Amino acid sequence: MSVNHSIVGIKIRRIRETKGLSVEDIAERSGLSIEQINSIENDQNLPSLGPLIKVARALGVRLGTFMDDNDQLGPVICRAEEREKNSSISFSNGATDSRKHMEYHPLAQQKAGRHMEPFVIDIHPDENKNFQLSAHEGEEFIYVMDGEVEVEYGKEKYLLKKNDSIFYDSIVKHHVHGVPGKSAKILAVVYIPF
């Protein structure tokens, strides 16, 4: 019922090989470097959702394919106690920083054919201010459940406190992070047209 962070890269490699594509093919199609693709496939560093979305597009699959356990067509319920027990996917703050600052808890990984990816995200304290902004097709909605987060969006910065929310077009370069040195918890829904 849960996705182990360490199998994301294995799934990507398996899909790529099944489609007869090389790492170079995926790098060219996605606009990512060969080193980034190798790093993702070897689960060394998942810098943000942005690169994974680009890899999914290059492979012609949904982002959720990398996180799916099985495919249910009807409604999918994720109980709070199950979410806490399930393993999570961790991303580092930026391509040059391998510390894991965000833990993604998928809420609908069994739902087949979905276009939205809902997550509860635990943001751990981090003093790093060198954020790598990302952009991809689609929209994102963030609701702050606890703590405070800062959203860099284009040239603007928005401070969100508990119970605040933001909805934005993710084609604009953006980055979500906690206020330096503090933890936070958010509900995030990422919509990716396919």
Side-chain angles (χ1 to χ4, degrees), residues 161-194:
K161 298 185 177 185
K162 186 175 179 177
N163 297 326
D164 289 345
S165 65
I166 186 170
F167 190 116
Y168 54 85
D169 294 314
S170 39
I171 197 71
V172 175
K173 288 195 171 234
H174 60 279
H175 193 279
V176 178
H177 47 269
V179 171
K182 297 188 177 177
S183 58
K185 184 187 287 270
I186 61 175
L187 168 68
V189 180
V190 180
Y191 166 73
I192 305 144
F194 190 71

Side-chain angles (χ1 to χ4, degrees), residues 8-16 40-41 52 55 66:
V8 172
I10 293 168
K11 284 193 174 189
I12 290 170
R13 183 182 300 116
R14 199 173 292 147
I15 294 165
R16 176 179 61 72
I40 290 169
E41 285 195 359
L52 283 184
V55 170
F66 306 149

